[in-house]
Amino acid sequence: ITPVPERISFTAPTFDRAVDNGAVHDLRSSFDGPVLMLWVAAGCSGCHDWTAMLKDELAAGNISNTTNIVSVHRYASFESSESVANRYAYNNSSHHTPWPLLLPDETTTVIDVETGRMTNVSLYRAFQEPVTPTLQVVDEEGRLVWTSKTYWANSTVLAEALNIMDEGGQ
């Protein structure tokens, strides 16, 4: 079994909204700083809660605009992209995300940032089989440096993630 590279990225389709940075998003394009990744599902109440908290904190200026937030759909095998779009993608969606929303599928594998090459390592395995919601911090080098296991949005947990991001993942 192929080991997970130390520095990872992936590309995934998006809904091609202005905030998605194109029809296909390469996570490496977010690496001008740490990335805050939120693994989501359309039917996940905790995901809706985290999305709302991140939006509120962004609007209040408590998360800097240079902070890179992405939401990643987790369950492509049994949730349609249409249900994800209805929940998160549109301006009138109940939990609209004003940041990139990535739509990988079960076959998505990760890129070894060190070599720039595609690997045969599954996206889900590389990111430690995240359930929803899972909040993760990927540093500007592509290293997974922090993972939350909190179902409901929690300001203390978010502060911990943002603190790690401010320290550059150290």
Side-chain angles (χ1 to χ4, degrees):
I1 197 162
T2 310
V4 175
E6 182 187 357
R7 296 169 52 207
I8 52 180
S9 184
F10 67 98
T11 60
T14 70
F15 289 112
D16 202 13
R17 306 170 301 161
V19 296
D20 289 330
N21 301 323
V24 174
H25 185 93
D26 185 330
L27 194 66
R28 290 174 293 188
S29 64
S30 302
F31 286 173
D32 59 344
V35 179
L36 187 63
M37 284 177 48
L38 176 60
W39 293 85
V40 299
C44 161
S45 299
C47 303
H48 310 157
D49 200 36
W50 274 109
T51 299
M53 177 182 266
L54 291 174
K55 271 176 57 173
D56 291 349
E57 293 295 309
L58 203 54
N62 297 331
I63 298 177
S64 75
N65 291 335
T66 59
T67 301
N68 298 295
I69 303 172
V70 298
S71 288
V72 183
H73 182 226
R74 174 60 173 94
Y75 300 115
S77 61
F78 61 87
E79 249 186 9
S80 71
S81 59
E82 186 181 1
S83 63
V84 175
N86 290 336
R87 180 70 67 189
Y88 299 109
Y90 307 120
N91 288 337
N92 63 353
S93 296
S94 54
H95 295 88
H96 172 253
T97 60
W99 53 76
L101 176 56
L102 312 187
L103 306 164
D105 65 28
E106 302 296 319
T107 65
T108 303
T109 56
V110 295
I111 299 161
D112 182 338
V113 173
E114 203 77 47
T115 64
R117 291 199 178 101
M118 187 61 73
T119 69
N120 64 359
V121 176
S122 146
L123 172 67
Y124 305 135
R125 183 163 74 87
F127 284 93
Q128 303 171 345
E129 303 293 343
V131 294
T132 57
T134 294
L135 201 59
Q136 294 183 319
V137 174
V138 178
D139 75 9
E140 59 279 346
E141 301 289 318
R143 290 180 192 90
L144 177 59
V145 293
W146 181 86
T147 299
S148 130
K149 298 291 188 208
T150 312
Y151 187 80
W152 297 109
N154 178 306
S155 55
T156 306
V157 172
L158 181 58
E160 186 180 330
L162 296 174
N163 189 40
I164 287 167
M165 292 175 76
D166 287 345
E167 293 168 6
Q170 299 309 313

